Amino acid sequence: MKILITSGGTTEKIDSVRGITNHSTGNLGKLIAETFLAQGHEVTLVTTKQAVKPASQPNLNLHEISNVESLLTTMEGLVKTHDVLIHSMAVSDYTPVYMTDIDELEKTEQISDLLSKSNSENKISSQADYQVLFLKKTPKIISLVKEWNPAIRLIGFKLLVDVPKEELFRVARASLQKNQADYILANDLTEISPTQHHAYLLSEDDSFEAFDKEGIAQLIYEKVVTHD
Amino acid sequence: MKILITSGGTTEKIDSVRGITNHSTGNLGKLIAETFLAQGHEVTLVTTKQAVKPASQPNLNLHEISNVESLLTTMEGLVKTHDVLIHSMAVSDYTPVYMTDIDELEKTEQISDLLSKSNSENKISSQADYQVLFLKKTPKIISLVKEWNPAIRLIGFKLLVDVPKEELFRVARASLQKNQADYILANDLTEISPTQHHAYLLSEDDSFEAFDKEGIAQLIYEKVVTHD
């Protein structure tokens, strides 16, 4: 089976020295990749320069991306040629459009006018006491996966922060239906530490629990292979 | 001599999963630290989790910080007990205050009211097509160094992007005077690549040129030790 895995977190540039980063070490994606590689599967890992990666090996194909735009371009081609996508990457929801100071904002009658502006400077000046950064929503890559390849098996990820289990399940299952995913790995940041990683792998009707990254990787592996 | 070096780039949290990062690998700070360590000096390196670091060794003391606030607290104590500060860290100019959607912004009569708000959610919702992030200036740590320790020798850094040499020198010398630095290492992002790093070490009246990171580390080392 040809397995496509994403890991790490994207960074959206504000200017040439600053960016908005979604934090993710890449540890879980690395472990999932290693689990499939150990069983002889062919793995393509789409990740970032900063993320940890498995050791180089014959069945492992690496693609480094930085922002959502480069992820989108890379994924469109790869989704079409793989059997399974395990999309564990922390993808930026928003990307910077325009940064300015409060003066310009107060002088602007139509705020929507600022949304079509862009910064000409390479490094945005840092004189004003306050600045304001306008951001726009990035394309939701997970929602495009089944359009690109209706036959691919899709395992999505949903990370929330400090919510009841019921809400985590509700939001994860909504994502499962909306994106036609086969499973969603649902987890809460408050239950992730260097020694534990509590998570649920949810299908439409079932849920399976794991307590650390090894357990999550094993759970995903089993569900992907037993389906065949 | 007790040498204090900063390296890497700070990250200011937007919420528990996103942050604004100043990109810096820490390579130059690492090389500078290694140059002083090789000559038997005692080095304290203040850096980030993500930055590259010298190998652990008896004369090297490491402090990991994340954002400007933690840098400020750490530096105040250390500046008072060191002879030299080489401040190569890329420090965030702004830190997030409040993130909201365009609707709330348009409904707000006094924009300054938004500057005292803060987000109660742990992970800011990602429903709206556009969002707006208010940021406030961080304290300029380099401007506090000589207040904390008037006797410390201070080497600051100024990174600009794609400017004429005259402007780079003008801005760097303004920083030298304003912060009572002994030297400013002035460089332009367009002249930094994996194989080159063009820079000028500027004092009030002199300038010294280097063409790679090793050259910069050597130049700083010479100026710091020959002064004694």
Side-chain angles (χ1 to χ4, degrees), chain A residues 19 21 94 123 126 128 137 159, chain B residues 19 21 94 123 126 128 137 159:
Chain A
T21 295
Y94 289 89
K123 186 179 175 183
S126 52
K137 214 160 166 37
L159 177 70
Chain B
T21 296
Y94 289 89
K123 186 179 176 182
S126 50
K137 216 161 164 37
L159 177 69

Side-chain angles (χ1 to χ4, degrees), chain B residues 169-216:
Chain B
F169 273 46
R170 185 181 58 70
V171 172
R173 286 229 165 83
S175 168
L176 186 131
Q177 281 156 15
K178 189 174 170 193
N179 302 305
Q180 301 173 57
D182 299 89
Y183 291 95
I184 297 284
L185 195 287
N187 50 172
D188 189 306
L189 192 64
T190 59
E191 299 185 312
I192 305 175
S193 74
T195 53
Q196 71 149 12
H197 191 147
H198 188 205
Y200 301 93
L201 187 63
L202 303 182
S203 66
E204 187 79 48
D205 310 305
D206 265 334
S207 81
F208 308 92
E209 197 169 6
F211 300 93
D212 53 27
K213 289 186 170 44
E214 288 76 11
I216 294 170

Side-chain angles (χ1 to χ4, degrees), chain B residues 54-69:
Chain B
S56 171
Q57 49 198 287
N59 275 341
L60 174 64
N61 208 331
L62 272 184
H63 293 258
E64 277 188 12
I65 61 91
S66 55
N67 60 6
V68 175
E69 193 180 351

Side-chain angles (χ1 to χ4, degrees), chain A residues 16-23 94 111 122-123 126 128-133 135-137 159 161-162, chain B residues 16-23 94 105 111 122-123 126 128-133 135-137 159 161:
Chain A
S16 54
V17 297
R18 282 169 283 198
I20 297 184
T21 295
N22 271 47
H23 303 297
Y94 289 89
I111 285 164
N122 285 314
K123 186 179 175 183
S126 52
D129 283 343
Y130 290 90
Q131 288 206 333
V132 54
L133 176 63
L135 303 117
K136 71 169 178 209
K137 214 160 166 37
L159 177 70
V161 184
D162 203 13
Chain B
S16 54
V17 295
R18 283 169 282 199
I20 297 184
T21 296
N22 271 46
H23 303 296
Y94 289 89
L105 178 58
I111 286 165
N122 285 314
K123 186 179 176 182
S126 50
D129 284 342
Y130 290 90
Q131 288 206 331
V132 54
L133 176 63
L135 304 118
K136 71 170 178 208
K137 216 161 164 37
L159 177 69
V161 184

